[in-house]
Structures are given as C-alpha cells and as structure tokens.
Amino acid sequence: AVAVSLASRNENVLRGVIVENTFLSINEMIDALLPALRFFKFLNRNKWDNIARVRALTLPILFLSGRDDEIVPPRHMQELYHAASK
C-alpha cells in the first residue's frame, strides 16, 4: 500500500513498482477480516484506495502474491492485477 501510494505521487522519478500481497483498500479489508465492523467503515479516515491508484499508474508493476496469505485475500491481488492491466 505504501509503495503504491508513493509511486502514484512520484511517477516521474520511478522506473517501476513492486507490490507484494497488497489489499484493495482498508474498507475492503474491513469487509474481509472484520465483517462485524462493516457498519462503522464511515469512521475510517485512511482509505488507502490502492485499486484507484493502480488504475492511474503508468509505470510497470510487478505483482507478488501468495495464495496462502492469512491476512490479505488472494482476490485483492487478482483485482489489483486486472485493474493495472486495463
């Protein structure tokens, strides 16, 4: 998430980005890990909307993902990859 955020603000000085097991957004992680708190997502001020940033990036992106990640659902990395491909 930090790499995507920094890359989106510094594209002119970077040659590429490496993204490892990153989530779509904090709100998506709340849905995946703490579904009981989904009604309180409006309190979240740190959105970390990685999917929107990845869509806007023009840099090459290397996605590294594990299918057995215990925290970030593999679907998140798959969706980021597909968003970057468009």
Side-chain angles (χ1 to χ4, degrees):
V2 174
V4 172
S5 178
L6 289 172
S8 69
R9 288 183 266 149
N10 298 290
E11 260 190 280
N12 58 335
V13 296
L14 297 174
R15 302 245 184 203
V17 181
I18 299 173
V19 178
E20 180 184 5
N21 283 347
T22 299
F23 49 85
L24 294 171
S25 69
I26 294 294
N27 284 342
E28 289 285 336
M29 284 299 291
I30 290 170
D31 290 341
L33 295 178
L34 304 163
L37 297 180
R38 69 184 178 275
F39 302 109
F40 300 100
K41 287 193 293 189
F42 70 93
L43 297 172
N44 176 23
R45 294 178 187 235
N46 297 316
K47 304 296 182 200
W48 287 93
D49 190 6
N50 292 317
I51 195 157
R53 288 184 173 148
V54 162
R55 281 187 187 123
L57 281 176
T58 58
L59 295 169
I61 306 171
L62 172 63
F63 291 93
L64 301 173
S65 178
R67 295 196 185 272
D68 293 332
D69 191 306
E70 295 178 1
I71 299 174
V72 179
R75 174 185 67 83
H76 285 224
M77 282 295 284
Q78 291 167 353
E79 288 187 35
L80 285 174
Y81 174 79
H82 291 297
S85 302
K86 295 180 180 181

